[in-house]
Every structure is written in C-alpha cells, then in structure tokens.
Amino acid sequence: MNRIEVVTRRTFLGGVFSAGAFVLAAKLMPEEALAAPLTKAEKAAWNPNVYLGIETDGTVLIVIHRSEMGTGIRSVLPTVLADELEADWKRVKLEQAIGDKKYGDQNTDGSCSIRDFYDAFREAGATARHMLVAAAAAKWGVPASECKAQNHQVVHTSGKKIGYGELAAAAAKLTAPNKADLKLKTPAEFRYIGKSLPTVDIGDIVTGKGTFGIDAKMPGMVHASIERSPVYGGKLKSVDDKEALAVKGVQKVVTLPHLTPPYGFKPLGGVAVIANSTWAAKKGREKLKVQWDGGENAGYDSAKYKQQLLETVRKPQKAARNIGDVDAEFAKGGKTHEAEYYVPHLSHAPMETPVAVADFKDGKVVIHTATQNPQAVQDTVAAALGISKENVECHVTLLGGGFGRKSKPDYVAEAALLSKQLGKPVKVTWTREDDIKFDYYHAVAAMYLKARVDDKGRPTAWLQRSAFPSIGAMFSPMANTGQGFELGMGWSNLPFDIPNHRAENGPAKAHVRIGWLRSVANIYHAFGVHSFADELAALANRDRVEYLLDLLGKDRRIDLGQRDARSQKFPLDTARLRRVIELAAEKSGWANRKATKGRALGIAAHWSFYSYIAAVVEVEVDNAGKLRIPQVHIAADVGRVINTDRVRSQFEGASTFGAGIAMMSEITAKDGAIVQSNFHDYLIPRIQESPVMTHVHLVDSNEPPAGVGEPGVPPMLPAITNAIFAATGKRIRELPIRKQLA
Amino acid sequence: MITFKVNGVARKFDGDPEMPLLWYLRDEIELTGTKYGCGEGLCGACTVHVNGSAVRSCQTQMQSLAGKVVTTIEGLSATGTHPVQQAWKQVNAPQCGYCQTGQIMQAVALLKTKPKPTDADIDSAMKGNICRCGTYQRIREAIKVAANSKSAAPKAAAQKAGGDE
Ligand code: FES
Ligand code: FES
C-alpha cells in the first residue's frame, strides 16, 4: 500500500531543499519503508500532510518538527497552520516530531523556523481548509463558492454549519487543490498571526512539569559521567579507575574511542564512569586518575593567539569584497583613522547542560534528548554506531536553552555509544564544568579598520580586515580562513555608501572546537564595524544618528552578488535600516537626550538574518567605573510578525545576551586547556547586571517574516560601548569591558 | 536513616549522606521540576525551600535534612494556582523555562519576607538565579504583579497540593 501526501510545491532555495518545500513535496512511500512510529496525526481519520491530522471528533493535531529552546517556536509555528485552517486553537493538540527527513529541515538554528516554514505551514493549513470546504459543499450538494470555513466549521450561505470532525473522513477522499488554486488568507483575515497567543508550555513550565532533556528517563537506565581530554584532540595515555570503582553506586568504567579529524559533531572520546545515579557517576569520575597526551593543540594560549590574530590583521589579506580603490584613495593622503578590535572566545552555556538518554537494542537506537537538530542526531549517531540513519529514533524534549550548542549532537552520540557498549539504556549528563570546558566555542576575532575621511568626516575609503578561526575547520581541516557564510554575517555586506571599500579576511587556525553561537560571526563583525563608524562620527564631532544616516546614503537595495532564491527574497534594503535607526532614535528621545558626564546614549544598527535592528542603549558609569544599563530601545523590522509577545521576548533576551558579551563573558585557553569552568569565572549577566528595561519597537511590516532569535544580539555590543564613549570618553576596543572602566 | 518531609510526604533516606538534595529529588523521587544548572550554588536553578527558606538543593546534603520540611516547585501548587505562578503566566515570563522553577521558588521566598519588594530588594534576592535566556525584566515585572495580587490564596493552594507552607 502506498501513502500519498499532498503535493504542493518543490523548490530549491540556495541550492538546498528549502525546508517546508520538501515536506509538501510529492511522496509515494511504501508503508513498510517507514521505520519511524506513526504520529497521532498520521493515525488520524484524515492526515492531509505530515504536519496535520484531523480526527472525527474535530481534534486538530499539528506536528511541530522544530525544537523548543525558548523562542516559542513550538507554539508559534503551529498557529500559522491553525490560522489558515481556520481552526479553533483550543481544539488543536501539538505533537513534537521525532527526527525524520520527511519533515524537511529540522535544524532549529539560524533564526529560520518561521522564515523557512511560514509559507509551508500556511499552505498546509489552507490546503486542508479548501478540502474541508469542498467536502461540505459535496455533502450539501451546493457550490463550494457558497461555503466558507469559519472557526472549526464550514458554514453555508443558508446558515447551515458542519464541524471539521464530521468532514474529516470525506475530505480525506478528495484530491488536494493545486497550489495555484489555493486562496490564502489576507492579513485582515488572520486570527492568530500577528497576535500574542501564550505558549502551550507555560503551564507545565511554571509547575515544573515540562520535560527537558535532563528530565528524560528510560526504564533500567544507568548514568554516565565522562572525563575528556582537557586539550582538544588529546589522547588518553593511562587511566587508573580503582578508586572510582570503589565509590558506592559506580558499576563500571569504560573507555570511549579517541576521535579523528575532521571532528564535526563526533563525540570527543574519553573515560566514562557508569553508575546507578547522576551523583554516583560524578563522584566516581572525580576519583579517576587519568593522564592525557595533549598533542598538537597543547600549546594553545589565548594571550599569544590574540597577538597572532592582531599581527594577521595588520597585514594585507584576501579581499572578500572590493569596491573602488581603497589603496589609491589612502595614497592621496589627508585625514585617516585606524583602530583595532578584539572579541574573545565565548561559550553558549545554556542553563541546561547537554544531556541525552539512549537505548541501543537489536541494531536500533531510541534516543530522548534536548537537541536543536534531531536529523543531525540521526546522522551522527548512525555514523558512530555503524547503523543506518533510519534506525536512529530521536525524540526531542524541551531544551533548557540552546543558542547553537544543541545543534551539535556530540553528547547524544556519547550516550548511544555507551548504550551499545553496555547493552542497556544510558543517560549522559554533562556537568557545567564539562559544558564550559568542552564547548564548540564562539570564535575569537581580531579586526583592523582604517578610513580616510573628507572635510565633513565622511569616509572616502574604508578598509576592514578580520581574522578568526572558522567554524569550517570542524568539518574540513583545510578551512583556515573565514568561510563565505561567516563573512556574509556583517563583514562582506557593509551597508554604508562609501566609494572605496575593501573587506579582507586572513587565516587563523582553530585549536578548540569552533561553533556557531547566537548570531555567530555578526557578534564580532558588528562590534568592529559599528564601533568604527562611531569613532568616525566622534572624530567629526557629528551627531551619531545623523552620521549613521549619512553613512547609509540614499535608500537603495544593495546588490551583494548573491543570486540564490533566499537572497532574492530578502534583499538588503537600506531604507529599512534607515527606518529602524529613525524609530530607535525617536522612541529613545535621542534628539533631546544629550550626554552628561557618566550618562549617555549610544546607537548601532545591524542587518542580520534578513532583519533590520537598531539599538539605542543608555549607560551610566559611576566614578568607580561601574557600568549600569537603565534602558535599551530596540527598533526591529523583522518583516511580518507572527507572535508579537514572543518576538518582543526574543529581543529582550537578546539585549541581556548582548550585554553579557559586551560586559563580562570570556573564554580563554592556557596550555591548550580552557581556563574557565563554571559561572564563577565564566560570567553571564545576573538580574542586577542586565539592562533594566528593554523597550522593543516593532515595525509594522508586510514583508516576508525574517529572523528573530538572533539579530537582536549584534547591535547591542557596539551600542553599549559607543554609549560608554559618549559618557566617559573611553573607547572600548576589546571585549569584555570588565574592569576597563575602573 | 534520615527522615524528613517533601511536599507534605514523609520520606526516609539511608543512602550517601553527602548526596545533594537536588539529585535525591531528581533521580530518586522523580521530582524533576528542580533543575541542575551548576552544582556549585552559582545559578539558582536548583532552588527549593527547606523549612520555608530558599536554599540551593545542589548545596544541601541529605544528612542536613533530618526532621526538615522540603518544598519543591511541585509542592508549591501542582496546578499552577500559586499567585507567583499566576503572575509568571500573566507576564509570559519564561523563554526556555529551564531556570524558571528556581526563579519562582526564590521569588516566593522573597515575597514571604518582603511582601512589597523594591527593585533593590528584587535585585538582591534574585541575583543568585541566572537566566541565560535573559528574562529578567519579566521576572521583575512578575514579582511586582504577584506582590500586588497576593491574597490568602498561596496558603490554600499549597495545602491542597500537600505543601507545608
Ligand atoms: S545547580 Fe544549584 S545553584 Fe546551580
Ligand atoms: S528561561 Fe531559559 S534560562 Fe531562564
């Protein structure tokens, strides 16, 4: 028997299958081939597509294939489908999808869940709505044009009504309409989109009932705590486990294989203590005596590496973007300005550490974990165990934060490997120390910028150079310079109107795992570029807002030479950047808030994840150099907003996240090992250090929805340091700020 | 053998006396609303009440609990009717939610001693509770909402759920 799903569209975006497109694509699949258990939606009376099922009692089942890590996506994306379906939200039940490529991309990362699935979810809902209307019309023997879907019912012009549940069986027999014939709702008809529905999980969260990865369990499971090489890529020399085995509750000590490059998402290897409780495993692990051979990264030292990066950016490097002739312009002489900037390694430090439970049996493995990317779990675990991906069943729990860490499933592979080795379910719980010491770190970066300015202080030439270890190095040892996707995050797309401009990037070797952290390369790029713009404005003694708008130049769409569908859909439109700058300035009262000693506003505006964000930050710096941020105004144009409250909350969170990077967070290495270990030395903001109040001003937009989770972070860093300059005259060029104001 | 109460239920323990209450709650009696965040008393994710005061369960050894009364988030109100939980829902405070049970337990303890806390009171009571998602301004708002809505409700709700506060 074949299962047939609704065919609507199949497109490529940027060379890869776009998310939603894949799912609604034609699919004829023999029932036997489905390794995964059926979802409730698939078992429902009607299962029009992989995301939706409708029961005869009218229950609407929506399968959510993206991971919930705090953005609200698990609740918000289904409201899009429910809206187009004209369903009553109270009669909708959500089901979290396991990892399966039939859902399209599941990597909840890159601020793309709404961006990539908004259209697909609308189409999925609208298609089913059309079919319900057709089913009702057929039943009544009236033209479909006389019927309309309204709040979980189809209503005829005569006033008669019939519920979705009663129509499900009949609708199931109909052919789906072509995409071209679909009538999507107009914005005026939206019932959930653009509103602020509470998340479905809030009740469970405030009562402690929500199931996170760390709360997952399996009958008969044992607990593992793993000792890993303090130096990245180090090899196990010897292990003495006598004392560890003597700890009450410890059952066994086993060795996990040493990894080989390219490291990617592979587990790090090490020595695992297996015990009957999390506590016993940890206690046993503390008694292990392990010796490591550090290997080629044993000399990694952040202080030295910083100097290397700075030396690299002081010399000409490969151009990633080149406009006009910067060198010829500099050769003219005149007034120039140059500056160097530095941003350290950072750790994700989600409040929930990496945790996974796995049960390997008969060639198959069942997993419960907090992951941003269950399909990467399938791939990674399959490769580690030598089984096929279809034999990896990955259930996704709530995530206690992710920020990019949990799209890398090394920790899940650890649990799977151990379960295979021990023949029973295993739970691997990373301690906070493990999390801080064995992260995929945000890249450390150095930048050099130089400009030549005219008599108004406007740049006639702008050169920028960066060096940072690339994320690409995890996947290819050859990748020792910034990759296109990294340079595309705020480096090779400077939005300023400058006749001569060159963006360069130089080589840097990775000595620890490098990974993407909320807003990725935008973090350092935005800091360098928007600090430098502020420096130029200060040199010219010009108002920052007026200067920024001047730098932007005439409203235009910037051709970045990218021809892929996504870049075409989301061009860089400077008019939208201008608008958020003006909005942030207006809402913060910029024009009437002149700096006083120790108290001032700062501004920065940055385009990332196709969203336009301006941040105005107010700082207070007291005589002892203590920094306080009483308020932040973030103006954001993220295209159409689906859930206003959750979008606001993402920008509030980004304000704190960005402030933390600016003010206090720093990871360093010494003798190859990470120095920090827990929240006493890896600092992230606490309530009294966080910006006190972040006001979020959303531009009302009909543009396609763009990214929300990440783009609030980058402008925060330079907005804070620019404000500090205005308040104190001290220019911060190195993060974190820490004691630099004392 | 140590005897004590958790959410109104009498409990006995004769395992590792040094085991932190956190792991007893999570691994042994399946009260997983109390979270692990740092294991060092640095983050507040594991906050519970012992004899009515907020403590870090990761720093509370089992041997210290003889005769004590422990309340966890599950004992505050299983149905989420405690005014602090209600306030949390009203302002949509959580993002990922992981830190929030600890935040709520800390906030409940604060409101018991300071029914109308100032911003400074909130800072000093809540500064041990990290939220990586950055929900602090909503937490502050929720505490104020709860302070203004407090009635006899917490008592009744806690008793219904078998709590001792
Ligand atoms: S886990 Fe107890 S304070 Fe962090
Ligand atoms: S809500 Fe995610 S850590 Fe606080």
Side-chain angles (χ1 to χ4, degrees):
Chain A
M1 186 196 154
N2 287 319
R3 303 172 66 250
I4 301 168
E5 290 178 15
V6 176
V7 182
T8 55
R9 66 172 192 153
R10 187 187 171 97
T11 52
F12 282 91
L13 282 186
V16 279
F17 268 117
S18 121
F22 196 76
V23 184
L24 299 177
K27 201 167 66 151
L28 286 168
M29 191 183 271
E31 193 91 5
E32 303 76 55
L34 293 175
L38 294 178
T39 60
K40 289 197 192 78
E42 282 164 330
K43 285 188 264 187
W46 183 31
N47 174 218
N49 58 62
V50 292
Y51 302 126
L52 178 62
I54 302 183
E55 296 283 16
T56 50
D57 69 356
T59 302
V60 166
L61 299 154
I62 299 182
V63 181
I64 174 70
H65 64 302
R66 311 293 289 183
S67 297
E68 182 55 73
M69 53 182 164
T71 62
I73 196 63
R74 186 174 122 81
S75 304
V76 176
L77 191 52
T79 61
V80 173
L81 195 159
D83 198 326
E84 281 290 354
L85 181 61
E86 192 51 31
D88 178 352
W89 185 243
K90 291 196 287 295
R91 300 179 70 184
V92 172
K93 285 205 179 111
L94 299 189
E95 223 183 326
Q96 186 71 40
I98 62 168
D100 193 326
K101 62 181 188 308
K102 72 183 175 190
Y103 297 110
D105 180 78
Q106 287 182 273
N107 186 14
T108 312
D109 210 305
S111 298
C112 63
S113 293
I114 292 287
R115 199 170 79 206
D116 286 349
F117 286 92
Y118 177 68
D119 291 341
F121 269 60
R122 286 187 75 189
E123 286 163 23
T127 302
R129 165 167 50 81
H130 273 252
M131 293 166 81
L132 288 161
V133 168
K139 192 175 174 96
W140 289 327
V142 299
S145 58
E146 290 176 8
C147 306
K148 98 183 222 229
Q150 202 172 58
N151 197 28
H152 236 83
Q153 292 180 321
V154 177
V155 184
H156 182 246
T157 43
S158 67
K160 59 184 162 192
K161 295 172 180 170
I162 182 164
Y164 283 2
E166 286 169 76
L167 293 167
K173 299 202 182 81
L174 300 178
T175 314
N178 289 323
K179 186 184 167 183
D181 300 330
L182 271 189
K183 207 171 156 290
L184 295 176
K185 285 185 173 185
T186 62
E189 291 169 321
F190 288 153
R191 50 188 295 158
Y192 308 125
I193 296 171
K195 309 289 188 315
S196 290
L197 260 55
T199 66
V200 292
D201 297 307
I202 190 160
D204 282 350
I205 283 171
V206 301
T207 52
K209 290 197 201 96
T211 302
F212 292 86
I214 202 169
D215 305 326
K217 49 182 177 287
M218 284 182 175
M221 80 184 179
V222 291
H223 296 264
S225 190
I226 304 172
E227 186 74 13
R228 304 170 186 84
S229 166
V231 178
Y232 178 46
K235 278 202 182 97
L236 182 63
K237 266 211 307 226
S238 68
V239 51
D240 173 354
D241 58 11
K242 219 163 83 232
E243 283 181 43
L245 287 166
V247 171
K248 201 172 158 220
V250 170
Q251 300 171 348
K252 226 176 178 170
V253 174
V254 298
T255 305
L256 280 168
H258 171 73
L259 82 174
T260 48
Y263 301 112
F265 297 151
K266 286 181 200 170
L268 285 172
V271 182
V273 175
I274 311 299
N276 62 7
S277 72
T278 319
W279 174 245
K282 183 173 185 279
K283 220 173 152 180
R285 181 177 158 200
E286 282 160 10
K287 302 276 187 212
L288 279 179
K289 294 198 182 81
V290 189
Q291 289 198 305
W292 303 95
D293 182 352
E296 60 167 352
N297 296 314
Y300 188 42
D301 178 308
S302 290
K304 287 192 200 130
Y305 194 75
K306 175 181 174 184
Q307 292 314 315
Q308 278 176 31
L309 289 181
L310 286 168
E311 277 159 31
T312 302
V313 300
R314 285 168 192 153
K315 293 191 287 268
Q317 301 295 347
K318 208 172 146 233
R321 188 174 176 215
N322 195 11
I323 296 166
D325 189 339
V326 171
D327 299 324
E329 191 65 17
F330 285 145
K332 288 183 189 164
K335 196 166 172 189
T336 59
H337 182 65
E338 55 190 340
E340 292 173 352
Y341 302 94
Y342 178 78
V343 181
H345 279 305
L346 300 166
S347 178
H348 300 81
M351 280 315 287
E352 177 197 38
T353 56
V355 181
V357 191
D359 184 15
F360 179 86
K361 224 188 301 177
D362 307 328
K364 289 189 175 182
V365 61
V366 176
I367 289 161
H368 292 263
T369 190
T371 178
Q372 291 174 241
N373 191 354
Q375 288 179 37
V377 167
Q378 290 183 289
D379 290 331
T380 305
V381 169
L385 300 188
I387 59 177
S388 77
K389 153 172 196 174
E390 287 68 31
N391 286 325
V392 181
E393 186 178 309
C394 180
H395 297 261
V396 182
T397 62
L398 293 177
L399 281 68
F403 314 112
R405 173 63 184 93
K406 293 174 185 168
S407 52
K408 302 149 184 108
D410 54 327
Y411 55 101
V412 190
E414 290 176 340
L417 280 167
L418 286 170
S419 176
K420 188 177 176 188
Q421 218 167 324
L422 297 164
K424 52 181 117 178
V426 176
K427 180 173 191 171
V428 169
T429 303
W430 284 42
T431 63
R432 176 59 60 195
E433 289 79 5
D434 294 337
D435 175 59
I436 301 291
K437 289 196 179 291
F438 305 104
D439 197 4
Y440 287 79
Y441 301 97
H442 171 77
V444 50
M447 287 158 291
Y448 165 84
L449 285 94
K450 180 179 178 185
R452 177 183 182 276
V453 294
D454 64 18
D455 53 0
K456 298 208 173 54
R458 202 181 189 290
T460 61
W462 173 302
L463 169 68
Q464 58 187 39
R465 242 182 243 140
S466 69
F468 53 86
S470 171
I471 291 165
M474 287 303 93
F475 303 96
S476 160
M478 310 302 290
N480 70 341
T481 54
Q483 303 296 292
F485 77 92
E486 292 166 312
L487 300 174
M489 292 182 173
W491 199 245
S492 59
N493 46 19
L494 187 77
F496 302 149
D497 182 17
I498 299 165
N500 304 289
H501 166 56
R502 193 162 71 229
E504 299 177 1
N505 175 261
K509 193 165 156 36
H511 296 283
V512 290
R513 297 196 291 186
I514 305 293
W516 46 95
L517 166 76
R518 190 180 192 175
S519 83
V520 203
N522 289 291
I523 290 174
Y524 36 86
H525 292 154
F527 178 62
V529 164
H530 304 302
S531 292
F532 193 64
D534 198 79
E535 295 207 27
L536 297 183
L539 271 181
N541 203 14
R542 286 170 62 176
D543 176 80
R544 304 302 196 268
V545 170
E546 174 270 321
Y547 188 81
L548 260 189
L549 295 175
D550 185 21
L551 276 183
L552 274 185
K554 268 211 291 292
D555 291 349
R556 69 203 186 286
R557 289 185 168 190
I558 298 177
D559 185 356
L560 297 167
Q562 282 157 328
R563 298 290 169 258
D564 58 285
R566 189 182 264 173
S567 305
Q568 302 290 312
K569 186 174 173 186
F570 295 103
L572 170 44
D573 182 346
T574 63
R576 295 175 73 184
L577 201 48
R578 166 185 301 279
R579 178 132 182 241
V580 291
I581 293 170
E582 288 168 347
L583 184 62
E586 177 203 321
K587 296 291 182 181
S588 62
W590 180 274
N592 304 314
R593 301 278 312 276
K594 295 297 167 226
T596 55
K597 191 173 174 311
R599 187 180 183 105
L601 302 184
I603 186 167
H606 192 72
W607 179 75
S608 64
F609 305 92
Y610 308 107
S611 286
Y612 303 79
I613 318 296
V616 170
V617 173
E618 178 179 26
V619 301
E620 287 170 12
V621 183
D622 71 13
N623 289 334
K626 195 163 178 298
L627 172 65
R628 191 173 167 268
I629 303 178
Q631 57 175 335
V632 175
H633 288 268
I634 291 181
D637 177 354
V638 300
R640 180 173 305 288
V641 170
I642 314 304
N643 184 306
T644 309
D645 179 70
R646 287 302 86 188
V647 170
R648 283 181 192 288
S649 76
Q650 281 305 293
F651 284 101
E652 291 161 12
S655 169
T656 296
F657 201 93
I661 296 171
M663 293 163 73
M664 58 189 74
S665 304
E666 178 174 25
I667 288 287
T668 54
K670 181 97 188 118
D671 300 325
I674 299 302
V675 173
Q676 293 72 23
S677 62
N678 207 319
F679 294 126
H680 64 291
D681 54 4
Y682 186 66
L683 304 179
I684 55 183
R686 294 166 182 276
I687 192 167
Q688 80 283 10
E689 296 157 331
S690 174
V692 180
M693 185 53 94
T694 299
H695 305 274
V696 181
H697 313 287
L698 299 173
V699 171
D700 201 6
S701 172
N702 286 323
E703 296 290 335
V708 168
E710 296 169 88
V713 174
M716 281 299 297
L717 286 59
I720 290 170
T721 51
N722 293 343
I724 289 171
F725 179 81
T728 66
K730 166 112 185 137
R731 177 62 64 184
I732 302 285
R733 297 195 180 96
E734 264 179 39
L735 296 182
I737 299 163
R738 287 245 181 116
K739 301 217 178 326
Q740 292 180 63
L741 299 173
Chain B
M1 177 76 72
I2 304 156
T3 61
F4 52 99
K5 272 186 173 185
V6 180
N7 298 337
V9 179
R11 299 277 180 179
K12 293 189 174 85
F13 178 80
D14 63 357
D16 181 352
E18 287 180 3
M19 178 157 88
L21 172 60
L22 168 68
W23 297 114
Y24 170 78
L25 294 171
R26 294 187 50 80
D27 285 351
E28 299 206 9
I29 60 170
E30 303 195 343
L31 294 177
T32 53
T34 303
K35 300 300 190 210
Y36 166 78
C38 69
E40 296 289 340
L42 300 164
C43 77
C46 65
T47 304
V48 299
H49 296 177
V50 173
N51 286 1
S53 303
V55 302
R56 307 294 181 230
S57 64
C58 73
Q59 299 299 297
T60 307
Q61 296 188 345
M62 292 306 291
Q63 61 192 354
S64 72
L65 289 174
K68 301 270 171 73
V69 168
V70 177
T71 305
T72 70
I73 187 75
E74 291 89 348
L76 193 61
S77 155
T79 48
T81 51
H82 188 284
V84 173
Q85 290 168 315
Q86 295 286 2
W88 243 250
K89 286 193 269 191
Q90 189 183 320
V91 308
N92 272 327
Q95 287 186 31
C96 80
Y98 192 80
C99 73
Q100 300 291 341
T101 49
Q103 304 273 6
I104 288 170
M105 294 309 282
Q106 189 69 37
V108 169
L110 162 67
L111 290 168
K112 264 199 274 181
T113 52
K114 298 233 158 91
K116 298 275 172 207
T118 62
D119 278 334
D121 294 334
I122 293 174
D123 280 354
S124 89
M126 303 303 293
K127 68 172 184 251
N129 291 73
I130 296 177
C131 175
R132 182 58 160 154
C133 297
T135 63
Y136 298 123
Q137 88 183 41
R138 303 241 186 163
I139 287 172
R140 187 184 300 280
E141 187 186 346
I143 291 172
K144 290 179 181 171
V145 168
N148 291 323
S149 75
K150 269 195 116 177
S151 59
K155 191 113 205 170
Q159 274 164 359
K160 239 202 248 137
D164 288 86
E165 295 178 37

